[in-house]
């Protein structure tokens, strides 16, 4: 919108085409009025500013408000214009992040201001209002990501630190734009403007003035307000390692049961589930739900019950000490926990193809989110894999790319993919399924241009045009730091229950008068839930259930700690090897 239009007052409200800009009902506004205060506004008044934390949830009662990206900067543009009945803010308001844009009053009027903490409580207690606000905020966050709003990452596509920062931003669903030093015309001017030497890159630039030279993930988190405090001297009842579905479920049930619960993750909340474009077989969501939305809802629940989330915080060690555990972090800090739930999930396996390393993060990806899809434009892409993740990615990418090649090593698409996904994939006009097909080579200088694939049944090779490659070929557990601490299976997954009992130190367990419980590892009070556990079912619902179950077992462990056996819930002493309560 031009300056002349502002001066004339010609401000038109942005239509709500995607559900991101709903209007509150008069009844909802009236209910909110009891929790806030009404204030008059003046034209030109700034209600909140990019880079600063949200302090209030604002509802427009009269007048109009313009949302600007990079206000006063070279990239200034209008994101939206809101009128009476609409509310301001986006996802950062609920999660304690800084604002990614600026709100300016264009037509004087009146607003209702509700303190942020009170608004977060209302979102958790009023399901109708909470659902409306959360869906709108998620939609606004995705619109910001699509616009390339937020901070800028300036770095070479060949730099591992550039890839690290981009992955951190994408996994945390943070609006940002990557400026590739190798081919972006804007890059040279920005480097000169801030006197940045090439060896100092990658850098993160925000608001046109704040600059971080090759920051750590924790430094970037602090810049935009992610909760990444030091865990030094922390003491909690339960430490949950990993913030995927299993870890977040453990956090919600632990905190709601009154246990002081801390959940940590090295990269982001959500794990692999957050990268799923659509989960259609999750109970209670008949029309499906995106992984991002499911995780954001879970994060809000953890805040509601008082669990602490620390991201990024990487765990590097676990040591038994005085019937508790000392958890050591990569930065050297330590925390104590009465019990530990391991829910660190898995990481996707890399595709072993000559020359693919130089394209990872540029046009070879291991997730298919809004961020990656936005880079594809209208070019053809390829997806490697035959499981549900590959099927979901193919369907999602078909909405953005001109065509999708789904490359499956096996001879039957239904061998590892759910039937409902198989039907959708096979019927989609833009998806080509290539069975018994494997990638043998990649071509392209600065980015992927084509693939060499082989039909292993016919032993024939051919070239496929592809501007991006998405890889979903299984996963490996992130358990290197547990080697020698507790028992793992031959693939690195954590042994629990009967499997743990078979290899456990009998002397350690004899003093307890019991064996490892269902999700318990070879260390008493250390449990494993979700994909990291040996023999687990690789489904979101299963991981969520195991996270909740782990907390019930934590209670049983607390009742029978060390050599002391306390009375059960009904005053009875539990029998050895079990609990007095089956509830």
């Amino acid at each position: 919108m031009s300056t002349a239009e502002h001066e004339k007052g010609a401000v038109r409200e942005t239509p709500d085409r995607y559900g991101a800009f709903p209007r509150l009902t008069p009844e909802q506004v009236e209910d909110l009025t009891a929790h806030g205060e009404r204030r008059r506004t003046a034209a030109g008044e700034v209600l909140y500013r990019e880079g600063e934390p949200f302090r209030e949830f604002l509802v427009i009662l009269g007048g109009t408000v313009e949302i600007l990206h990079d206000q006063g900067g070279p990239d200034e543009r209008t994101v939206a214009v809101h009128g009476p009945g609409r509310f301001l803010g986006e996802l950062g308001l609920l999660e304690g992040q800084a604002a990614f844009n600026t709100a300016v009053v264009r037509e004087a009027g009146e607003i209702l201001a509700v303190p942020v903490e009170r608004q977060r409580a209302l979102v958790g207690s009023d399901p109708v209002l909470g659902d409306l606000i959360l869906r709108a905020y998620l939609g606004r966050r995705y619109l910001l990501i699509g616009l390339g709003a937020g901070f800028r990452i300036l770095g070479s596509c060949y730099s591992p630190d550039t890839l690290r920062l981009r992955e951190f931003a994408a996994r945390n669903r943070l609006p940002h734009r990557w400026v590739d030093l190798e081919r972006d015309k804007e890059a040279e001017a920005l480097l000169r403007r801030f006197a940045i030497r090439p060896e100092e890159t990658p850098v993160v630039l925000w608001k046109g003035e704040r600059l971080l030279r090759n920051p750590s993930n924790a430094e970037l988190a602090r810049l935009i307000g992610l909760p990444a405090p030091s865990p030094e001297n922390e003491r909690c009842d339960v430490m949950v390692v990993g913030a995927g579905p299993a870890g977040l479920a453990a956090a919600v049930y632990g905190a709601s049961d009154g246990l002081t619960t801390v959940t940590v993750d090295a990269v982001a909340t959500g794990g692999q589930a957050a990268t799923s474009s659509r989960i259609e077989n999750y109970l209670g969501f008949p029309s499906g739900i995106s992984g991002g939305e499911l995780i954001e809802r879970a994060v809000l629940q953890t805040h509601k019950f008082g669990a602490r989330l620390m991201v990024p915080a990487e765990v590097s060690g676990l040591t038994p000490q005085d019937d508790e555990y000392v958890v050591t972090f990569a930065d050297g800090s330590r925390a104590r926990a009465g019990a530990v739930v391991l829910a660190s999930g898995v990481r996707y396996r890399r595709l072993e193809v000559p020359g693919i390393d130089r394209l990872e993060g540029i046009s070879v990806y291991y997730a298919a989110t809004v961020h990656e899809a936005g880079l594809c434009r209208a070019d053809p892409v390829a997806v490697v894999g035959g499981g549900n993740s590959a099927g979901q990615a193919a369907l999602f990418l078909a909405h953005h790319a001109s065509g999708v090649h789904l490359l499956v090593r096996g001879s039957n698409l239904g061998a590892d993919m759910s039937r409902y996904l198989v039907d959708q994939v096979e019927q989609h006009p833009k998806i080509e399924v290539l069975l018994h097909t494997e990638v043998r080579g990649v071509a392209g200088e600065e980015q992927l241009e084509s693939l060499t694939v082989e039909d292993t049944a016919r032993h024939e090779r051919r070239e496929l045009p592809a501007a991006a490659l998405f890889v979903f070929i299984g996963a490996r557990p992130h358990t290197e730091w547990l080697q020698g601490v507790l028992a793992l299976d031959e693939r690195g997954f954590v042994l629990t229950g009967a499997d743990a009992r078979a290899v456990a130190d009998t002397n350690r367990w004899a003093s307890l008068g019991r064996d490892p419980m269902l999700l318990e590892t070879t260390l008493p009070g250390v449990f494993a839930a979700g994909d990291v556990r040996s023999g687990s079912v690789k489904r979101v619902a299963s991981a969520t259930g195991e996270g909740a179950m782990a907390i019930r077992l934590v209670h049983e462990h607390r009742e029978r700690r060390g050599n002391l056996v306390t009375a059960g819930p009904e005053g009875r002493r539990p029998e050895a090897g079990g609990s007095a309560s089956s509830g």
Side-chain angles (χ1 to χ4, degrees):
M1 186 172 295
S2 68
T3 303
E5 286 178 313
H6 286 160
E7 292 173 351
K8 295 177 182 178
V11 182
R12 290 182 294 179
E13 188 177 58
T14 305
D16 183 21
R17 294 193 179 95
Y18 307 105
F21 309 131
R23 207 177 304 278
L24 297 175
T25 66
E27 292 77 16
Q28 288 172 327
V29 173
E30 184 177 349
D31 290 341
L32 285 168
T33 302
H35 301 279
E37 64 173 2
R38 300 167 74 108
R39 290 204 300 260
R40 300 296 302 177
T41 60
E45 179 182 352
V46 176
L47 300 179
Y48 59 78
R49 196 178 298 276
E50 181 179 352
E52 297 178 357
F54 290 99
R55 293 181 173 83
E56 297 173 315
F57 173 79
L58 303 174
V59 180
I60 303 172
L61 302 178
T64 58
V65 175
E66 183 178 16
I67 308 301
L68 292 170
H69 168 61
D70 193 32
Q71 184 203 23
D75 295 326
E76 178 178 322
R77 55 182 156 171
T78 299
V79 176
V81 176
H82 299 302
R86 288 190 179 178
F87 52 88
L88 306 182
E90 58 98 43
L91 202 57
L93 183 147
L94 297 178
E95 298 192 350
Q97 299 170 8
F100 284 98
N101 42 41
T102 300
V104 180
V105 176
R106 288 305 172 205
E107 295 178 355
E110 187 178 22
I111 58 171
L112 172 65
V114 180
V116 163
E117 291 303 322
R118 196 172 300 172
Q119 174 58 20
R120 290 174 185 158
L122 287 172
V123 167
S125 60
D126 185 331
V128 176
L129 180 64
D131 188 72
L132 178 73
I133 293 173
L134 179 58
R135 284 186 175 275
Y137 279 0
L138 282 167
R140 295 178 191 184
R141 172 58 61 91
Y142 292 141
L143 286 174
L144 286 177
I145 291 173
L147 287 171
F151 54 88
R152 279 182 282 188
I153 299 173
L154 282 69
S156 167
C157 59
Y158 304 116
S159 164
D161 283 318
T162 298
L163 298 182
R164 169 181 56 80
L165 291 171
R166 291 180 61 206
E167 179 187 15
F168 180 79
R171 290 281 300 277
N172 282 283
R173 302 169 290 284
L174 301 175
H176 69 284
R177 181 156 62 92
W178 171 43
V179 179
D180 186 357
L181 298 181
E182 305 297 333
R183 55 182 177 176
D184 199 306
K185 296 179 181 178
E186 177 188 4
E188 188 64 34
L190 285 171
L191 291 178
R192 287 198 304 269
R193 176 183 170 191
F194 292 95
I196 302 168
R197 298 190 303 273
E199 60 268 24
E200 293 179 304
T201 60
V203 298
V204 172
L205 177 65
W206 200 16
K207 295 170 54 183
E209 56 189 40
R210 299 186 66 178
L211 183 72
L212 295 179
R213 288 174 166 81
N214 195 12
S216 66
N217 289 354
E219 289 172 325
L220 178 54
R222 284 193 290 271
L223 176 70
I224 49 86
L226 279 176
S230 171
E232 185 67 57
N233 300 321
E234 183 83 41
R235 199 283 173 195
C236 58
D237 294 327
V238 185
M239 175 75 72
V240 182
V241 181
L248 291 174
V252 168
Y253 281 89
S256 65
D257 281 355
L259 301 175
T260 55
T261 306
V262 176
T263 301
V264 300
D265 197 285
V267 180
T269 57
Q272 301 298 338
T275 67
S276 176
S277 56
R278 202 82 186 156
I279 303 172
E280 295 192 63
N281 58 352
Y282 192 70
L283 187 65
F285 294 90
S287 60
I289 184 171
S290 73
E293 182 176 350
L294 180 66
I295 295 307
E296 296 297 353
R297 288 174 179 272
V299 169
L300 290 179
Q301 281 181 295
T302 64
H303 292 317
K304 172 182 177 179
F305 290 113
R308 289 189 61 194
L309 282 177
M310 294 195 294
V311 178
E314 183 177 359
V315 177
S316 60
L318 180 66
T319 308
Q321 189 175 96
D322 302 328
D323 284 340
E324 292 188 334
Y325 289 92
V326 175
V327 180
T328 304
F329 294 84
D331 64 0
S333 60
R334 296 184 174 188
R336 294 178 65 91
V340 177
V341 177
L342 303 173
S344 51
V346 294
R347 294 177 177 175
Y348 283 118
R349 295 186 184 279
R350 261 48 183 174
L351 189 64
E352 299 297 329
V353 174
I356 200 172
D357 292 354
R358 62 183 174 82
L359 297 174
E360 289 185 342
I362 304 168
S363 48
V364 175
Y365 309 103
Y366 294 86
T369 67
V370 174
H371 172 71
E372 289 85 14
L375 301 174
C376 295
R377 301 183 181 92
D379 299 314
V381 302
V383 176
V384 179
N388 282 356
S389 295
Q392 291 164 347
L395 289 166
F396 174 64
L397 294 167
H399 293 292
H400 300 268
S402 60
V404 178
H405 306 293
L406 179 57
L407 314 180
V408 182
R409 184 173 60 178
S411 59
N412 179 12
L413 188 59
D416 298 304
M417 190 181 294
S418 296
R419 187 69 247 172
Y420 78 93
L421 274 177
V422 172
D423 293 339
Q424 292 182 48
V425 166
E426 291 180 336
Q427 293 170 14
H428 201 290
K430 293 173 68 175
I431 299 177
E432 178 189 18
V433 179
L434 300 175
L435 299 176
H436 35 76
T437 299
E438 297 185 33
V439 179
R440 298 303 187 205
V442 294
E445 291 300 322
E446 296 183 342
Q447 67 179 46
L448 183 67
E449 295 175 4
S450 66
L451 302 170
T452 300
V453 299
E454 180 179 352
D455 184 324
T456 56
R458 299 178 181 178
H459 303 289
E460 296 176 352
R461 294 193 177 192
R462 63 170 172 138
E463 296 292 312
L464 281 182
L469 176 64
F470 296 83
V471 182
F472 302 92
I473 55 172
R476 58 179 178 82
H478 176 42
T479 54
E480 296 86 356
W481 63 283
L482 291 170
Q483 291 282 351
V485 177
L486 45 73
L488 309 175
D489 68 14
E490 66 278 2
R491 295 181 299 160
F493 291 91
V494 179
L495 294 175
T496 58
D499 294 331
R501 181 173 64 243
V503 296
D505 181 346
T506 54
N507 293 328
R508 184 192 299 272
W509 290 90
S511 64
L512 296 176
R514 67 177 180 85
D515 292 326
M517 291 180 279
L518 184 62
L519 301 181
E520 201 165 16
T521 69
T522 49
L523 289 179
V526 178
F527 303 85
D531 290 355
V532 76
R533 189 178 67 81
S534 179
S536 67
V537 177
K538 303 300 186 283
R539 292 288 186 270
V540 174
S542 175
T544 303
E546 289 188 9
M549 190 190 308
I551 295 302
R552 178 67 192 102
L553 299 179
V554 165
H555 285 298
E556 294 191 24
H557 166 72
R558 285 164 59 87
E559 293 167 7
R560 306 169 56 82
R561 191 177 318 189
N563 292 318
L564 300 177
V565 180
T566 62
E570 298 175 3
R572 295 182 284 109
R573 291 170 60 87
E575 299 296 331
S579 168
S581 172
S582 61

